Amino acid sequence: MRRDRKIVWHPAGMAAIAGKRVIVVGGTGGIGRAISRLLASHGADVTVVGRRFRDADRPGIAFVPADLGLMGEARRVAEELPAGNADILIFTTGIFAAPHRQMTTDGIERDLAVSYLNRFVMLRSLAPRLGRDRRDAAFRPRIFVMGYPGTGAAGDPGDLNAERRYTALGAHKNTIAGNEMLVINLARRFPGIGSFGLNPGLIRTDIRGNLLGENSLRHRIVETLIGLLAPDADSYARRIAPLLLSPDLERFNGAMFDRKARAILPTAALTPDHIDRFMAASERLAQPWLEGASSPRL
């Protein structure tokens, strides 16, 4: 990643989050859970989406259950979420591709489904509605897409579902590139919304379980080593939270930020033509779950 030194921002105090309505897709574990808990502790009204809720005792956090590996579930929950009243929408859910190709019951490569395509499907419904019913017109609603932007991954729109050739790295690059392109495309198509990419880098979570074997000895050893060398999810949440409400972001729609909340340059290979082809490939793959949707294309 290369720093983008033209973008300078100043943090908003945590008091600014009080009363804000936040939706965290993937907020039941890892980084998403850490962000949700931190924002709720400072007075935000947080709705989390995921498979298992572990914060029922925490005030300020509501739960919407969903299996985000299934596109029908992604569409259903997107249509049910109170996006019109939301100030901030954060996508954090994700996994790593497995050594051998895994498919969901929808026929989608699992990493692509969980880490990217559900976001594409959900944003078809969420982006046009986000924040339109809020009373606070002074704060432009914001979308934050977590992935690994700025790392050079361009993805392959000709083999988005990794059907012709599968490698774990190649499949994961499609999700990395897809999420970065979502941010750029959202900033272009929805200028009334602030859209930003987040690259947390190496953080100790369970995200690598699908690659290393869930709860395997190798998985536990790797995460222990990462914990010695890198920040944990709570530390990352504390570092990134002041960015979420910074008034300076109004001037930098489409910007990307690393784990220290420093602006980074986007991937050079993501030209407008490449983004259009990748979005079109995503549209074709997700079409069975978008039929009947009246919202504009992404």
Side-chain angles (χ1 to χ4, degrees):
M1 292 181 292
R2 295 174 57 201
R3 292 277 305 278
D4 186 345
R5 300 186 183 277
K6 295 180 181 179
I7 296 179
V8 178
W9 64 276
H10 301 85
M14 289 305 294
I17 196 65
K20 291 291 190 291
R21 293 182 172 90
V22 183
I23 297 172
V24 184
V25 179
T28 58
I31 291 174
R33 186 186 184 201
I35 292 174
S36 300
R37 288 159 63 101
L38 179 63
L39 298 184
S41 73
H42 287 276
D45 181 2
V46 181
T47 298
V48 301
V49 181
R51 299 185 67 174
R52 185 179 64 176
F53 189 40
R54 295 180 287 175
D55 290 314
D57 61 334
R58 288 264 179 165
I61 303 180
F63 174 53
V64 176
D67 181 350
L68 295 171
L70 301 177
M71 298 304 104
E73 279 280 276
R75 176 172 172 172
R76 174 192 65 78
V77 77
E79 292 174 348
E80 293 177 2
L81 285 170
N85 290 323
D87 298 288
I88 298 174
L89 170 62
I90 308 173
F91 287 95
T92 67
T93 186
I95 60 174
F96 273 69
H100 302 286
R101 190 173 187 267
Q102 297 175 327
M103 286 197 308
T104 67
T105 55
D106 292 331
I108 309 297
E109 190 275 315
R110 187 164 177 252
D111 183 20
L112 187 77
V114 174
S115 306
Y116 165 69
L117 200 64
N118 70 62
R119 303 176 180 192
F120 182 90
V121 170
M122 294 180 75
L123 283 165
R124 173 66 70 87
S125 170
L126 292 171
R129 295 188 291 122
L130 189 67
R132 70 182 183 188
D133 300 326
R134 296 173 310 122
R135 296 179 181 177
D136 183 10
F139 181 82
R140 182 167 59 165
R142 296 174 176 181
I143 297 174
F144 293 89
V145 177
M146 188 166 290
Y148 296 94
T151 54
D156 182 2
D159 193 21
L160 184 59
N161 202 25
E163 295 173 281
R164 294 204 302 263
R165 179 175 180 269
Y166 180 83
T167 65
L169 181 59
H172 196 56
K173 282 185 176 180
N174 275 340
T175 71
I176 292 172
N179 284 309
E180 184 170 356
M181 284 185 270
L182 270 182
V183 173
I184 299 170
N185 199 49
L186 285 167
R188 180 174 63 178
R189 293 183 178 268
F190 296 94
I193 297 172
S195 302
F196 309 96
L198 299 177
N199 186 333
L202 195 62
I203 303 288
R204 181 177 180 178
T205 67
D206 290 331
I207 192 172
R208 284 160 289 272
N210 194 55
L211 174 65
L212 302 174
E214 200 73 45
N215 295 319
S216 67
L217 177 61
R218 182 171 61 162
H219 183 205
R220 293 197 298 271
I221 290 173
V222 168
E223 295 303 329
T224 298
L225 292 174
I226 290 174
L228 296 173
L229 300 172
D232 60 16
D234 291 322
S235 298
Y236 173 75
R238 289 191 295 271
R239 187 182 290 271
I240 209 70
L243 171 73
L244 303 181
L245 286 159
S246 172
D248 295 316
L249 290 195
E250 295 293 329
R251 298 182 289 124
F252 303 118
N253 198 9
M256 317 280 176
F257 299 89
D258 67 12
R259 77 178 187 189
K260 294 184 178 180
R262 300 174 302 191
I264 55 177
L265 292 169
T267 297
L270 303 185
T271 63
D273 178 66
H274 184 80
I275 292 172
D276 287 344
R277 288 190 290 115
F278 201 98
M279 293 295 109
S282 302
E283 179 89 14
R284 289 191 296 271
L285 188 58
Q287 189 57 44
W289 301 281
L290 298 174
E291 290 178 356
S294 58
S295 302
R297 295 176 65 176
L298 293 180

